[in-house]
Amino acid sequence: MQVSKTLDYAVRSLTYMGNDPVLRHSMKEISEHQNIPLSYLAKIMRRLVKKGLVRSMVGPDGGYVLRKTPGEIKLRDVYEAIEGEIRMVDCMDKDNICVLYDNCAQLPVWDKVQMSMIKILDDTTLQDMLNEGASMSTRPN
Amino acid sequence: MQVSKTLDYAVRSLTYMGNDPVLRHSMKEISEHQNIPLSYLAKIMRRLVKKGLVRSMVGPDGGYVLRKTPGEIKLRDVYEAIEGEIRMVDCMDKDNICVLYDNCAQLPVWDKVQMSMIKILDDTTLQDMLNEGASMSTRPN
DNA sequence: ATAACGTGGATATCATGCATCCAGAATATA
DNA sequence: TATATTCTGGATGCATGATATCCACGTTAT
């Protein structure tokens, strides 16, 4: 029930790019500025490209650019690009056929948690985070 | 960002016990009814005992009883007994001194998610889950 | 005395998050 | 055309933690 490092990397990369939404940013640049292992960043960027959040250009002076404005990119999009569909609980999946209906006592609660999280991630754009980040960056640590 | 199997086991065990809040329930009984590996359940019960959610009695006819009524046991208590303090994001912990203030762009959002989750878990008791579970158990699967 | 049951420590298994490496394709520039 | 730069994609390694098992021991009801 924690934010994964990978997701953190992704968000950091995107907010970083969001500061100059027009420029192209190379992996090397992002990696250095955000302190993310280059080789791992490559994997992450791949997912963001596939999900249509960023566009990539190869060759010298290549790199990545946001495909939308920071105001149009929802945190939910980022989350789902990295983690897949948001889902708090695995049930009736795979081989688990949830014979115990006791089990279902929990489902409504986790659904509730899930929905409230989705709502927040849906309502938060990169732009929002950039704004907040600015105000946060004045506080110590 | 998912409910762990262990937490699921804990909740299942407690809701099961909540159906007969007065009786003692042996691990064997719980294990069989809830389909939880006995030896693993032992570990889980240990934590619930330590956190004061459940009282244990050894010897023949021993077992576990809820220490409070289902209406007094919050899901948050269960969560924290199993997972420890609720915290979405690790930052400024350990060796990570969060030098990147870009990073902080995220914090407010995850805090928000965290608080909304805490609120829900705080507002939900075993009793609530038992009630809901009853209404849920009528739907297929 | 005996059988039933929880306790607690050691240990095994396994999945997965995180990370690294490398050969290859694309492309800008000279 | 040659070269340097950058992304691509697949294979692989590593470490951590969740899940699970085992067993010797202490307790207690009968």
Side-chain angles (χ1 to χ4, degrees):
Chain A
M1 197 69 71
Q2 274 207 333
V3 175
S4 74
K5 218 167 185 176
T6 309
L7 178 55
D8 174 75
Y9 287 161
V11 176
R12 291 225 306 267
S13 301
L14 289 171
T15 48
Y16 175 76
M17 295 173 70
N19 286 320
D20 295 287
V22 183
L23 279 62
R24 65 99 208 168
H25 305 271
S26 73
M27 280 204 305
K28 189 152 171 287
E29 178 197 350
I30 300 175
S31 162
E32 281 167 1
H33 278 81
Q34 294 295 315
N35 199 30
I36 301 171
L38 179 62
S39 51
Y40 192 52
L41 181 59
K43 301 305 176 198
I44 295 172
M45 295 313 287
R46 210 79 279 287
R47 294 196 236 176
L48 298 182
V49 168
K50 278 189 181 159
K51 294 297 178 174
L53 294 182
V54 300
R55 181 207 326 239
S56 71
M57 295 157 303
V58 295
D61 226 48
Y64 300 91
V65 199
L66 297 183
R67 272 193 114 98
K68 308 179 193 174
T69 69
E72 290 167 332
I73 299 182
K74 299 174 176 182
L75 183 50
R76 177 182 187 173
D77 301 330
V78 186
Y79 185 106
E80 292 186 338
I82 299 300
E83 311 278 16
E85 187 194 356
I86 299 179
R87 131 174 320 216
M88 292 267 110
V89 133
D90 263 345
C91 185
M92 68 195 86
D93 263 23
K94 310 180 176 184
D95 43 333
N96 297 328
I97 316 193
C98 185
V99 264
L100 316 161
Y101 44 80
D102 270 304
N103 189 14
C104 290
Q106 310 185 43
L107 269 188
V109 188
W110 300 126
D111 276 353
K112 215 166 155 189
V113 172
Q114 179 173 308
M115 283 192 303
S116 95
M117 169 165 154
I118 288 179
K119 171 150 182 43
I120 295 173
L121 300 192
D122 243 344
D123 289 349
T124 306
T125 67
L126 267 197
Q127 188 61 57
D128 296 329
M129 302 181 70
L130 289 172
N131 297 340
E132 291 209 60
S135 73
M136 298 306 288
S137 68
T138 55
R139 78 169 188 193
N141 195 338
Chain B
M1 198 67 75
Q2 273 208 335
V3 176
S4 74
K5 220 166 182 175
T6 310
L7 177 55
D8 174 75
Y9 286 161
V11 176
R12 290 225 307 266
S13 301
L14 289 171
T15 48
Y16 175 75
M17 294 172 70
N19 286 320
D20 295 288
V22 183
L23 278 63
R24 65 98 208 165
H25 304 270
S26 72
M27 281 205 304
K28 189 152 170 287
E29 180 197 348
I30 300 175
S31 162
E32 281 168 0
H33 278 81
Q34 294 296 315
N35 199 31
I36 302 172
L38 179 62
S39 50
Y40 192 51
L41 180 59
K43 302 305 175 197
I44 295 173
M45 294 314 286
R46 211 79 278 286
R47 293 196 235 175
L48 298 182
V49 169
K50 277 190 181 160
K51 294 297 179 174
L53 293 182
V54 152
R55 181 207 325 240
S56 71
M57 295 156 306
V58 295
D61 225 49
Y64 301 91
V65 199
L66 297 184
R67 271 193 116 97
K68 308 179 193 172
T69 69
E72 289 168 333
I73 299 182
K74 298 175 177 182
L75 184 50
R76 178 182 185 172
D77 302 329
V78 186
Y79 184 106
E80 292 186 336
I82 299 300
E83 311 278 16
E85 187 194 357
I86 300 179
R87 132 174 319 214
M88 291 268 108
V89 133
D90 263 345
C91 185
M92 68 195 87
D93 262 23
K94 308 182 175 183
D95 44 332
N96 297 328
I97 316 192
C98 185
V99 266
L100 316 161
Y101 43 82
D102 270 303
N103 190 13
C104 290
Q106 310 185 43
L107 270 188
V109 188
W110 300 125
D111 276 353
K112 215 166 156 188
V113 172
Q114 180 173 306
M115 285 191 302
S116 95
M117 169 165 154
I118 288 179
K119 174 152 181 41
I120 294 173
L121 299 193
D122 243 344
D123 290 348
T124 306
T125 68
L126 267 197
Q127 188 61 59
D128 295 330
M129 301 180 70
L130 289 172
N131 297 340
E132 291 210 59
S135 73
M136 299 305 289
S137 68
T138 54
R139 77 170 188 191
N141 196 335

